[in-house]
C-alpha cells in the first residue's frame, strides 16, 4: 500500500472513531449530571456578618455559613470557590450570573423569591435593636424619635427599620458592613441599630460595645440561594447535604461552635 493510501486509511479510521465516541458520549449521562460533574461552583458571600462569616485572628474566613458549606460540599462531593464580596455585592453577582450561589445569612423573602431559588431554611432568625452599652436613655422604639438609626444595606434589619421609621420618627443611616454600623452606634453618631439577633448577640459577647434592649422581632429564615431556574443540581445537593448533616448531628455541632443559648 502506498504511503498516501496508508495515510488516507488512518484518517478515515480516526474520523469514524471520533464520531462513534461523540455519539456514545451523548447517551452515557444526563445533561444535568454531565454539567455538574467536575464543575467548580462560584459561591459569593459577605465579609463581616459574624457568626455566619467573618475573619478570625489569622485572617481566615470562618463562621456558620463557611462551616456548613464546607461540610455539605464534602458530604455531596462537589467543589466550590468562595468570593468574599460583601452582602449587597454578593446578591448582585448572583443576579448578574457572575456567581452560581450565595450563602451569607440571606433571609428568604417573597421579594427575593421572585429573583432567586432558595434551599430549605438552615437557620431561623429575627431582628433586634442594639444601643451603646453605656446608654441608659433608650429602652424602646419610642425613644428613637428625632434620632439617627444605623442599618446595614440589603438586610432584614434595614427593612424592619425602614418599615417603622415614620411611625417612631427616626431617620436611617446606611452602612455596607455590620462592623461599621455597630461602630457608628458605639461612638454615638447613631442612637441605635437594627441587626439579626444571632449576629448582634455574637458581637456583644465578643465585646462590640453594644447591648440589646428590645425583644426579638419575628424574622425570616436564612437560605442558600441560586439564580432563578438555574443550578438546580447545586440546590439539590445543598438540600440533601443539609438533611444529612442534621441527621448526623453535625449541623447542631456547627451551630454550637458559634452560638451558645
Amino acid at each position: 500500500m502506498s504511503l498516501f493510501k496508508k495515510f488516507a486509511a488512518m484518517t478515515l479510521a480516526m474520523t469514524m472513531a471520533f464520531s462513534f465516541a461523540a455519539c456514545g458520549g451523548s447517551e452515557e449521562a444526563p445533561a444535568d449530571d454531565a454539567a455538574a460533574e467536575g464543575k467548580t461552583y462560584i459561591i459569593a458571600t459577605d465579609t463581616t456578618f459574624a457568626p455566619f462569616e467573618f475573619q478570625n485572628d489569622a485572617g481566615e474566613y470562618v463562621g456558620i455559613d463557611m462551616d456548613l458549606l464546607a461540610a455539605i460540599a464534602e458530604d455531596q462531593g462537589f467543589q466550590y470557590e468562595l468570593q468574599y464580596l460583601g452582602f449587597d455585592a454578593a446578591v448582585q453577582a448572583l443576579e448578574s450570573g457572575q456567581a452560581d450561589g450565595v450563602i451569607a445569612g440571606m433571609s428568604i423573602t417573597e421579594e427575593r423569591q421572585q429573583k432567586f431559588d432558595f434551599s430549605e431554611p438552615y437557620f431561623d432568625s429575627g431582628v433586634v435593636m442594639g444601643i451603646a452599652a453605656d446608654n441608659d436613655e433608650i429602652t424602646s422604639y419610642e425613644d428613637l424619635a428625632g434620632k439617627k438609626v444605623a442599618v446595614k444595606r440589603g438586610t432584614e434589619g434595614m427593612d424592619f427599620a425602614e418599615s417603622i421609621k415614620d411611625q417612631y420618627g427616626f431617620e436611617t443611616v446606611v452602612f455596607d458592613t455590620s462592623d461599621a454600623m455597630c461602630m457608628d452606634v458605639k461612638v454615638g453618631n447613631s442612637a441605635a441599630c437594627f441587626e439579626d439577633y444571632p449576629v448582634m448577640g455574637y458581637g456583644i459577647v465578643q465585646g462590640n460595645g453594644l447591648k440589646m434592649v428590645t425583644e426579638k422581632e419575628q424574622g425570616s429564615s436564612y437560605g442558600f440561594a441560586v439564580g432563578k431556574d438555574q443550578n438546580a443540581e447545586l440546590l439539590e445537593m445543598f438540600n440533601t447535604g443539609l438533611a444529612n448533616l442534621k441527621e448526623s448531628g453535625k449541623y447542631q455541632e456547627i451551630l454550637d461552635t458559634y452560638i451558645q443559648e
Side-chain angles (χ1 to χ4, degrees):
M1 182 182 292
S2 68
L3 182 61
F4 175 78
K5 289 183 177 180
K6 287 183 179 180
F7 177 77
M10 290 176 61
T11 300
L12 177 61
M14 291 175 65
T15 301
M16 293 176 63
F18 281 131
S19 298
F20 178 80
C23 293
S26 65
E27 299 175 356
E28 289 179 358
D32 288 346
D33 291 344
E37 184 177 358
K39 178 177 179 178
T40 297
Y41 294 98
I42 303 300
I43 309 299
T45 188
D46 204 345
T47 54
T48 55
F49 194 58
F52 291 90
E53 45 267 334
F54 62 99
Q55 284 184 290
N56 60 17
D57 293 339
E60 304 165 327
Y61 279 96
V62 295
I64 294 172
D65 285 346
M66 304 296 94
D67 291 1
L68 273 180
L69 181 60
I72 289 172
E74 181 179 2
D75 181 83
Q76 293 295 295
F78 66 85
Q79 304 294 317
Y80 65 93
E81 176 185 327
L82 277 166
Q83 292 185 348
Y84 306 96
L85 304 177
F87 183 80
D88 201 41
V91 173
Q92 290 178 13
L94 181 58
E95 189 170 3
S96 65
Q98 297 177 9
D100 298 306
V102 165
I103 186 166
M106 188 174 179
S107 298
I108 304 172
T109 65
E110 291 185 5
E111 182 180 357
R112 287 173 179 160
Q113 286 177 315
Q114 302 302 313
K115 299 179 180 179
F116 311 115
D117 289 330
F118 283 90
S119 68
E120 293 296 320
Y122 66 83
F123 191 86
D124 294 326
S125 188
V127 174
V128 293
M129 183 173 75
I131 64 173
D134 59 358
N135 187 337
D136 297 323
E137 298 178 359
I138 297 176
T139 60
S140 66
Y141 301 151
E142 286 81 359
D143 297 325
L144 298 177
K147 295 180 171 60
K148 294 180 180 179
V149 170
V151 295
K152 180 181 175 183
R153 189 185 311 277
T155 63
E156 194 166 22
M158 176 178 173
D159 291 342
F160 178 73
E162 293 291 338
S163 73
I164 67 169
K165 71 177 184 179
D166 290 339
Q167 178 182 354
Y168 293 103
F170 62 82
E171 63 175 295
T172 53
V173 182
V174 182
F175 294 88
D176 289 324
T177 68
S178 295
D179 288 349
M181 176 186 70
C182 292
M183 180 58 68
D184 199 64
V185 177
K186 181 180 178 180
V187 301
N189 292 332
S190 292
C193 62
F194 285 95
E195 180 62 282
D196 290 12
Y197 90 89
V199 179
M200 182 69 73
Y202 181 83
I204 290 172
V205 170
Q206 296 298 311
N208 67 0
L210 303 186
K211 63 182 178 182
M212 289 182 281
V213 292
T214 60
E215 295 295 324
K216 180 181 70 173
E217 300 285 348
Q218 184 62 43
S220 301
S221 299
Y222 293 167
F224 174 75
V226 299
K228 197 70 175 176
D229 299 324
Q230 298 177 22
N231 286 308
E233 75 287 344
L234 176 59
L235 198 62
E236 181 179 356
M237 288 189 291
F238 188 94
N239 283 332
T240 302
L242 178 62
N244 291 343
L245 294 189
K246 288 183 175 181
E247 183 177 357
S248 69
K250 179 66 175 178
Y251 169 82
Q252 191 61 48
E253 179 184 326
I254 291 173
L255 292 189
D256 291 342
T257 301
Y258 298 97
I259 300 176
Q260 298 297 321
E261 297 293 340

